Amino acid sequence: MRLGVIDIGSNTVHALIVDAHRGARPLPTASHQSALRLSEHLRDDGSIDEPGVEALVTFTEESLDLAENEGAEEVLAFATSAIREATNGPEVVERLSAASGLDVTVLSGSDEARVTFLAARRWLGWSAGTLLVLDIGGGSLEMAQGMDEEPDVAVSVPLGAGRVTRDLLPDDPPTPEVVREARRAVRARLASSVRPLLQAAGPDHVVGTSKTFRSLARLTGAAPSGDGPYVERVLQRAALADLVPRLASMSAADRVRLPGVSAARARQVLAGALVAEAALDLLRVERLEICPWALREGLILRRFEEIE
């Protein structure tokens, strides 16, 4: 079956067309993405502004054209924290549905964590034992842990790289005092959320998904994406601690010259590093493995289970 998935995130909106069936690895055939950065389209009242909504409608229509041209039998659309938390989120979903005919599902934070956990479990397999899975998006940080395909603990915290940049690191580059205060605020917010994970049995593998973790791993010496998905990539806590002050001293124009940092994410990579470092410190993790599958793949896997 050929399936299309439209993932409406806080940073990037991404349409992916895959060939898959239950029990098989989804094979991507085409994709379309845009760095809309919906989190930057928020008004003071928490609503998404009209340019942001119009850009999202246009992207959705383009994605449907791609799905039709690629012969997709079904198209799923999912939204995460940007739509979930916007004061006009329901109205935006109605606009998208009216323009596209799609039933847009708004995932809760815990759903995001659970679906991403499923993707990591399928990628690593049962032999990986108990997994702790971390995912840093644009609007939120998801954490989940368990030994099955459904995690025992699933937590979502509003500490995405885009949100932290907007709220705590607005200047480019930020002053040392601002970085220090952002670091303190991130850790204070996260410390109250990790207790369920610390109370659980220790994980056999700690896994990071999402572009933020991939970029941080690349910045600390991991293989480039061009080497393929099966190369082992890790992010060491010690290396990340060395990276944070380096990123803090650089402007976005300087960061974009670093390996693995795109122009669209150059401003946010410092915030992502602060959140990642805080998570590894508070969860007492020394080494994190990078998993190439994340939310989109988890949604695809879940959908094929429903079809069967």
Side-chain angles (χ1 to χ4, degrees), residues 24-288:
R25 177 171 66 94
L27 296 175
T29 63
S31 68
H32 174 44
Q33 63 179 320
S34 177
L36 291 188
R37 291 191 288 275
L38 289 177
S39 60
E40 297 180 10
H41 283 277
L42 292 179
R43 301 187 184 99
D44 292 339
D45 65 355
S47 64
I48 298 174
D49 62 25
E50 185 60 24
V53 177
E54 290 179 353
L56 185 53
V57 169
T58 298
F59 176 86
T60 304
E61 292 172 340
E62 293 170 350
S63 299
L64 286 175
D65 288 341
L66 173 67
E68 180 180 341
N69 292 337
E70 292 292 322
E73 301 172 51
E74 183 179 357
V75 178
L76 311 176
F78 295 86
T80 55
S81 63
I83 302 294
R84 181 171 68 235
E85 298 174 13
T87 56
N88 63 338
E91 290 80 6
V92 174
V93 169
E94 287 182 8
R95 285 271 300 274
L96 291 176
S97 297
S100 65
L102 293 174
D103 182 12
V104 180
T105 300
V106 181
L107 296 171
S108 69
S110 61
D111 279 343
E112 278 193 69
R114 293 178 185 281
V115 174
T116 302
F117 184 91
L118 171 63
R121 167 60 71 195
R122 291 286 180 89
W123 180 268
L124 273 79
W126 294 110
S127 63
T130 298
L131 298 181
L132 168 58
V133 179
L134 309 178
D135 183 290
I136 300 174
S140 58
L141 161 69
E142 273 67 54
M143 303 177 288
Q145 181 166 320
M147 61 183 300
D148 299 317
E149 291 197 337
E150 179 73 13
D152 300 315
V153 181
V155 179
S156 179
V157 190
L159 286 174
R163 185 196 300 268
V164 172
T165 300
R166 183 189 69 236
D167 294 346
L168 302 177
L169 298 166
D171 299 326
D172 180 30
T175 64
E177 293 75 20
V178 168
V179 173
R180 188 159 45 249
E181 177 57 24
R183 181 180 186 274
R184 185 205 64 77
V186 165
R187 287 169 183 255
R189 180 65 184 84
L190 185 56
S192 62
S193 302
V194 299
R195 175 182 286 274
L197 296 161
L198 292 174
Q199 290 177 328
D204 296 300
H205 290 267
V206 181
V207 180
T209 68
S210 78
K211 178 64 174 177
T212 294
F213 275 120
R214 292 197 300 270
S215 295
L216 294 174
R218 180 75 181 99
L219 285 169
T220 57
S225 59
D227 286 1
Y230 302 112
V231 175
E232 183 183 56
R233 295 175 175 87
V234 300
L235 177 61
Q236 301 282 356
R237 178 177 168 187
L240 182 58
D242 291 338
L243 176 65
V244 169
R246 180 183 172 202
L247 293 175
S249 67
M250 303 172 74
S251 67
D254 292 328
R255 293 175 199 150
V256 80
R257 300 188 184 99
L258 300 174
V261 179
S262 65
R265 294 179 181 267
R267 287 208 58 211
Q268 297 184 10
V269 69
L270 171 60
L274 289 174
V275 173
E277 183 189 29
L280 297 189
D281 282 351
L282 293 172
L283 291 167
R284 305 185 185 106
V285 171
E286 296 297 333
R287 180 182 185 272
L288 175 143

